[in-house]
Amino acid sequence: MKNTYKIFLFFIAFLSVKCFAQSASENWVKVYSDDEKITFANVTGLSSFQEDEIMVWTMEEFSSGLKMEGVDDDIYKVKSYYMISKGLKRYSLVDVIYYNKKNNVIKTYHYSHDYDNLDFKYNSPITSGSEAESIFEKCMQVINASSDHTIQQK
């Protein structure tokens, strides 16, 4: 009986993972570029952020490898998870993942932002003309387009 129960639980867990994996797609949209890199934002799911806080993944792809202290290999791609306050126009990084030329993860960082003081929670301003502003504007464009579409459907 115990083995049957374990097999059943494994089967349910396996199906759950397969179903979730199939439904979670990414939609990377270019938000910034210069001679050295191109930055994309994953706009999938952004329409669900109707309150003040936005959570968004970005991906930077570099034309040549970057060196960074504490990282043994050259960095060719960086994925960053941003937490953005629409009202304050401030942001913080939550996660950063560094990749080498072969697209292997070479270093990761996770930052905790469990603060009541919003100046600490969102510790960086979104400045005019910055890459962060490009990311914020693309997020707002997707969110606003989604809420406009929802209003038209009613």
Side-chain angles (χ1 to χ4, degrees), residues 54-103:
I54 302 169
M55 304 295 287
V56 63
W57 277 102
T58 65
M59 176 174 57
E60 298 169 282
E61 293 182 341
F62 298 93
S63 55
S64 59
L66 301 176
K67 301 235 182 258
M68 188 172 100
E69 189 175 329
V71 178
D72 295 333
D73 206 347
D74 287 349
I75 299 166
Y76 281 86
K77 181 166 73 174
V78 178
K79 285 187 180 177
S80 303
Y81 196 43
Y82 284 84
M83 175 174 60
I84 303 170
S85 169
K86 292 189 233 178
L88 297 173
K89 286 197 171 183
R90 296 177 67 83
Y91 71 94
S92 286
L93 285 172
V94 178
D95 290 294
V96 181
I97 307 168
Y98 297 98
Y99 297 84
N100 65 10
K101 193 170 190 166
K102 294 180 181 178
N103 210 29

Coordinates of all heavy atoms in Angstrom, one line a residue, residues 54-103:
I54 N 5.9 46.0 -9.4 CA 6.1 45.2 -10.6 C 7.3 44.3 -10.4 O 8.3 44.8 -9.8 CB 6.4 46.1 -11.9 CG1 5.3 47.1 -12.1 CG2 6.7 45.3 -13.1 CD1 5.7 48.2 -13.2
M55 N 7.2 43.1 -10.8 CA 8.3 42.2 -10.8 C 8.6 41.7 -12.2 O 7.7 41.3 -12.9 CB 8.0 40.9 -9.9 CG 7.6 41.3 -8.5 SD 8.9 42.0 -7.5 CE 9.9 40.6 -7.2
V56 N 9.9 41.9 -12.7 CA 10.2 41.6 -14.1 C 11.6 41.1 -14.2 O 12.5 41.6 -13.6 CB 10.0 42.9 -15.0 CG1 10.9 44.0 -14.6 CG2 10.1 42.5 -16.4
W57 N 11.7 40.1 -15.1 CA 13.0 39.5 -15.5 C 13.6 40.3 -16.6 O 12.8 40.6 -17.6 CB 12.9 38.1 -15.8 CG 13.0 37.1 -14.7 CD1 11.9 36.5 -14.1 CD2 14.1 36.7 -13.9 NE1 12.3 35.7 -13.1 CE2 13.7 35.9 -12.9 CE3 15.5 37.0 -14.0 CZ2 14.5 35.3 -12.0 CZ3 16.3 36.4 -13.1 CH2 15.9 35.6 -12.1
T58 N 14.8 40.6 -16.6 CA 15.5 41.2 -17.8 C 16.7 40.3 -18.2 O 17.2 39.5 -17.4 CB 16.0 42.6 -17.5 OG1 17.0 42.6 -16.5 CG2 14.9 43.6 -17.1
M59 N 17.1 40.5 -19.4 CA 18.3 39.7 -19.9 C 19.2 40.6 -20.7 O 18.7 41.3 -21.6 CB 17.8 38.5 -20.7 CG 18.9 37.7 -21.3 SD 18.4 36.2 -22.2 CE 17.2 36.9 -23.4
E60 N 20.4 40.7 -20.3 CA 21.4 41.5 -21.1 C 22.3 40.5 -21.8 O 22.8 39.6 -21.2 CB 22.2 42.4 -20.1 CG 21.5 43.4 -19.3 CD 22.3 44.0 -18.2 OE1 22.5 43.3 -17.2 OE2 22.8 45.1 -18.4
E61 N 22.5 40.8 -23.1 CA 23.4 40.0 -23.9 C 24.6 40.9 -24.3 O 24.3 41.9 -24.9 CB 22.7 39.3 -25.1 CG 21.7 38.3 -24.6 CD 21.0 37.6 -25.8 OE1 21.0 38.2 -26.9 OE2 20.4 36.5 -25.6
F62 N 25.8 40.5 -24.0 CA 27.0 41.3 -24.3 C 27.7 40.8 -25.6 O 27.8 39.6 -25.8 CB 27.9 41.3 -23.1 CG 27.3 41.9 -21.9 CD1 26.7 41.0 -21.0 CD2 27.3 43.2 -21.6 CE1 26.1 41.5 -19.8 CE2 26.7 43.8 -20.5 CZ 26.1 42.9 -19.6
S63 N 28.2 41.8 -26.4 CA 28.9 41.4 -27.6 C 30.2 40.8 -27.3 O 30.7 40.0 -28.1 CB 29.0 42.7 -28.5 OG 29.6 43.7 -27.8
S64 N 30.8 41.2 -26.2 CA 32.1 40.6 -25.8 C 32.0 40.3 -24.3 O 31.3 40.9 -23.6 CB 33.3 41.5 -26.2 OG 33.2 42.7 -25.5
G65 N 32.9 39.4 -23.9 CA 32.8 39.0 -22.5 C 33.2 40.0 -21.5 O 34.1 40.8 -21.8
L66 N 32.6 40.1 -20.4 CA 32.9 41.0 -19.3 C 33.7 40.3 -18.2 O 33.4 39.1 -18.0 CB 31.6 41.6 -18.7 CG 30.7 42.4 -19.6 CD1 29.5 42.8 -18.8 CD2 31.4 43.6 -20.1
K67 N 34.5 41.0 -17.6 CA 35.2 40.4 -16.4 C 34.7 41.0 -15.2 O 34.3 42.2 -15.2 CB 36.7 40.7 -16.5 CG 37.4 40.2 -17.7 CD 38.6 39.3 -17.4 CE 39.3 38.8 -18.6 NZ 38.9 37.5 -18.9
M68 N 34.5 40.2 -14.1 CA 34.0 40.7 -12.9 C 34.8 40.0 -11.7 O 34.9 38.8 -11.8 CB 32.5 40.4 -12.7 CG 31.9 41.1 -11.5 SD 30.1 40.9 -11.6 CE 29.9 39.5 -10.4
E69 N 35.1 40.7 -10.7 CA 35.8 40.2 -9.6 C 34.9 39.1 -8.9 O 33.7 39.3 -8.7 CB 36.2 41.3 -8.6 CG 37.1 40.8 -7.5 CD 37.5 41.9 -6.5 OE1 37.6 43.1 -7.0 OE2 37.7 41.6 -5.4
G70 N 35.5 38.0 -8.6 CA 34.7 36.9 -8.0 C 34.1 36.0 -8.9 O 33.4 35.0 -8.5
V71 N 34.2 36.2 -10.2 CA 33.6 35.4 -11.3 C 34.8 34.9 -12.1 O 35.5 35.7 -12.7 CB 32.6 36.1 -12.1 CG1 32.0 35.2 -13.2 CG2 31.5 36.6 -11.3
D72 N 34.9 33.5 -12.2 CA 36.1 32.9 -12.8 C 36.1 33.0 -14.4 O 37.1 32.8 -15.0 CB 36.3 31.5 -12.4 CG 36.6 31.4 -10.9 OD1 37.1 32.4 -10.4 OD2 36.2 30.4 -10.3
D73 N 34.9 33.1 -15.0 CA 34.8 33.0 -16.4 C 34.3 34.4 -16.9 O 33.8 35.2 -16.2 CB 33.7 31.9 -16.8 CG 33.9 31.3 -18.1 OD1 34.7 31.9 -18.9 OD2 33.3 30.3 -18.4
D74 N 34.4 34.6 -18.2 CA 33.9 35.8 -18.8 C 32.3 35.8 -18.9 O 31.8 34.7 -19.1 CB 34.4 36.0 -20.3 CG 35.8 36.4 -20.3 OD1 36.4 36.8 -19.2 OD2 36.4 36.4 -21.4
I75 N 31.7 36.9 -18.6 CA 30.2 37.0 -18.6 C 29.7 37.5 -20.0 O 30.2 38.5 -20.5 CB 29.8 38.0 -17.5 CG1 30.3 37.5 -16.1 CG2 28.3 38.2 -17.5 CD1 30.2 38.6 -15.1
Y76 N 28.8 36.7 -20.5 CA 28.2 37.0 -21.8 C 26.7 37.3 -21.8 O 26.2 37.9 -22.7 CB 28.5 35.9 -22.9 CG 29.9 35.9 -23.4 CD1 30.9 35.3 -22.8 CD2 30.2 36.6 -24.6 CE1 32.2 35.3 -23.3 CE2 31.4 36.7 -25.1 CZ 32.5 36.0 -24.4 OH 33.7 36.1 -24.9
K77 N 26.1 36.9 -20.7 CA 24.7 37.2 -20.5 C 24.4 37.3 -19.0 O 25.0 36.6 -18.2 CB 23.9 36.0 -21.1 CG 22.4 36.2 -21.0 CD 21.6 35.2 -21.8 CE 21.6 33.8 -21.3 NZ 20.7 32.9 -22.1
V78 N 23.5 38.2 -18.7 CA 23.1 38.4 -17.3 C 21.5 38.5 -17.3 O 20.9 39.3 -18.0 CB 23.6 39.7 -16.7 CG1 23.1 40.0 -15.3 CG2 25.2 39.7 -16.8
K79 N 20.9 37.7 -16.4 CA 19.5 37.8 -16.2 C 19.3 38.4 -14.8 O 20.0 38.0 -13.8 CB 18.8 36.4 -16.2 CG 18.6 35.9 -17.6 CD 17.8 34.6 -17.6 CE 17.6 34.1 -19.0 NZ 16.8 32.8 -19.0
S80 N 18.5 39.4 -14.7 CA 18.2 40.1 -13.5 C 16.7 40.2 -13.2 O 15.9 40.4 -14.1 CB 18.7 41.6 -13.5 OG 20.1 41.6 -13.9
Y81 N 16.3 40.0 -11.9 CA 14.9 40.1 -11.5 C 14.8 41.4 -10.7 O 15.4 41.5 -9.7 CB 14.6 38.8 -10.7 CG 13.1 38.6 -10.5 CD1 12.2 38.7 -11.5 CD2 12.7 38.2 -9.2 CE1 10.9 38.4 -11.3 CE2 11.3 37.9 -9.0 CZ 10.4 38.0 -10.1 OH 9.1 37.8 -9.9
Y82 N 14.0 42.3 -11.3 CA 13.7 43.6 -10.7 C 12.4 43.6 -10.0 O 11.4 43.0 -10.4 CB 13.6 44.6 -11.9 CG 14.9 45.0 -12.5 CD1 15.5 44.3 -13.5 CD2 15.6 46.2 -12.1 CE1 16.7 44.7 -14.1 CE2 16.8 46.6 -12.7 CZ 17.3 45.9 -13.7 OH 18.5 46.3 -14.3
M83 N 12.4 44.4 -8.9 CA 11.3 44.8 -8.1 C 11.1 46.3 -8.3 O 12.0 47.0 -7.8 CB 11.4 44.3 -6.7 CG 10.3 44.7 -5.7 SD 10.6 44.1 -4.1 CE 12.2 44.7 -3.6
I84 N 10.0 46.7 -8.9 CA 9.9 48.2 -9.2 C 8.7 48.7 -8.5 O 7.6 48.1 -8.6 CB 9.8 48.3 -10.7 CG1 11.0 47.7 -11.5 CG2 9.6 49.8 -11.1 CD1 10.8 47.7 -13.0
S85 N 8.8 49.9 -8.0 CA 7.6 50.6 -7.5 C 7.2 51.7 -8.5 O 8.0 52.6 -8.8 CB 8.0 51.4 -6.2 OG 6.9 52.3 -5.8
K86 N 6.0 51.5 -9.0 CA 5.5 52.4 -10.0 C 5.4 53.8 -9.4 O 5.7 54.8 -10.1 CB 4.1 52.0 -10.5 CG 4.0 50.7 -11.3 CD 2.6 50.6 -11.9 CE 2.1 49.2 -11.5 NZ 0.7 49.1 -12.1
G87 N 4.8 53.9 -8.2 CA 4.5 55.2 -7.6 C 5.8 56.0 -7.3 O 5.9 57.2 -7.5
L88 N 6.8 55.3 -6.7 CA 8.0 55.9 -6.3 C 9.0 56.1 -7.4 O 10.0 56.8 -7.3 CB 8.7 55.1 -5.2 CG 8.0 55.0 -3.9 CD1 8.7 54.0 -2.9 CD2 7.8 56.3 -3.2
K89 N 8.8 55.3 -8.5 CA 9.8 55.3 -9.6 C 11.2 54.9 -9.1 O 12.2 55.6 -9.4 CB 9.8 56.5 -10.5 CG 8.6 56.7 -11.3 CD 8.8 57.7 -12.4 CE 7.6 57.7 -13.4 NZ 7.8 58.6 -14.4
R90 N 11.2 53.8 -8.3 CA 12.4 53.3 -7.8 C 12.4 51.8 -7.9 O 11.3 51.2 -8.1 CB 12.5 53.7 -6.3 CG 12.6 55.2 -6.0 CD 12.7 55.5 -4.5 NE 13.9 55.0 -3.9 CZ 15.1 55.7 -3.9 NH1 15.2 56.8 -4.5 NH2 16.1 55.2 -3.3
Y91 N 13.6 51.2 -7.9 CA 13.7 49.7 -8.0 C 14.8 49.1 -7.2 O 15.6 49.8 -6.6 CB 13.9 49.4 -9.5 CG 15.3 49.7 -10.0 CD1 16.3 48.8 -9.9 CD2 15.6 51.0 -10.4 CE1 17.6 49.1 -10.4 CE2 16.9 51.3 -10.8 CZ 17.9 50.4 -10.8 OH 19.2 50.7 -11.2
S92 N 14.7 47.8 -7.1 CA 15.8 47.0 -6.5 C 16.0 45.8 -7.2 O 15.0 45.3 -7.9 CB 15.4 46.6 -5.0 OG 15.5 47.8 -4.2
L93 N 17.2 45.2 -7.2 CA 17.4 43.9 -7.8 C 17.1 42.8 -6.7 O 17.5 43.0 -5.6 CB 18.9 43.8 -8.2 CG 19.3 44.6 -9.5 CD1 20.8 44.5 -9.7 CD2 18.6 44.0 -10.7
V94 N 16.5 41.8 -7.2 CA 16.1 40.7 -6.3 C 17.1 39.5 -6.6 O 17.6 38.9 -5.7 CB 14.7 40.2 -6.5 CG1 14.4 39.0 -5.6 CG2 13.7 41.4 -6.2
D95 N 17.3 39.2 -7.9 CA 18.2 38.1 -8.3 C 19.0 38.5 -9.5 O 18.5 39.3 -10.3 CB 17.4 36.9 -8.7 CG 16.7 36.2 -7.5 OD1 17.4 35.7 -6.6 OD2 15.5 36.2 -7.4
V96 N 20.2 38.0 -9.5 CA 21.1 38.2 -10.7 C 21.8 36.9 -11.0 O 22.3 36.2 -10.1 CB 22.2 39.3 -10.4 CG1 23.0 39.5 -11.7 CG2 21.5 40.6 -10.0
I97 N 21.7 36.5 -12.3 CA 22.3 35.3 -12.7 C 23.3 35.6 -13.9 O 22.9 36.2 -14.9 CB 21.3 34.3 -13.2 CG1 20.2 34.1 -12.2 CG2 21.9 32.9 -13.6 CD1 19.0 33.3 -12.7
Y98 N 24.5 35.2 -13.7 CA 25.6 35.4 -14.7 C 25.8 34.1 -15.6 O 25.9 33.0 -15.0 CB 26.9 35.9 -14.1 CG 26.7 37.2 -13.4 CD1 26.5 37.2 -12.0 CD2 26.8 38.4 -14.0 CE1 26.4 38.4 -11.3 CE2 26.7 39.6 -13.4 CZ 26.5 39.6 -12.0 OH 26.4 40.8 -11.3
Y99 N 26.0 34.3 -16.9 CA 26.2 33.2 -17.8 C 27.5 33.4 -18.6 O 27.8 34.5 -18.9 CB 25.0 33.1 -18.8 CG 23.7 32.8 -18.2 CD1 22.9 33.8 -17.7 CD2 23.2 31.5 -18.1 CE1 21.7 33.6 -17.1 CE2 22.0 31.2 -17.6 CZ 21.2 32.3 -17.1 OH 20.0 32.0 -16.5
N100 N 28.1 32.2 -18.9 CA 29.3 32.3 -19.8 C 28.9 32.2 -21.2 O 27.7 32.2 -21.6 CB 30.4 31.3 -19.4 CG 29.9 29.9 -19.6 OD1 28.9 29.6 -20.2 ND2 30.7 28.9 -19.1
K101 N 29.9 32.1 -22.1 CA 29.7 32.1 -23.6 C 28.9 30.8 -24.0 O 28.1 30.9 -24.9 CB 31.0 32.1 -24.3 CG 30.9 32.3 -25.8 CD 32.2 32.6 -26.4 CE 32.0 33.1 -27.8 NZ 33.2 33.7 -28.4
K102 N 29.0 29.7 -23.2 CA 28.3 28.5 -23.5 C 26.9 28.5 -22.9 O 26.2 27.4 -22.8 CB 29.1 27.3 -23.0 CG 30.4 27.1 -23.8 CD 31.1 25.9 -23.3 CE 32.4 25.7 -24.1 NZ 33.2 24.6 -23.6
N103 N 26.5 29.6 -22.3 CA 25.1 29.7 -21.7 C 25.0 28.9 -20.4 O 23.9 28.6 -20.0 CB 24.0 29.4 -22.6 CG 22.8 30.2 -22.3 OD1 22.8 31.3 -21.8 ND2 21.6 29.6 -22.6

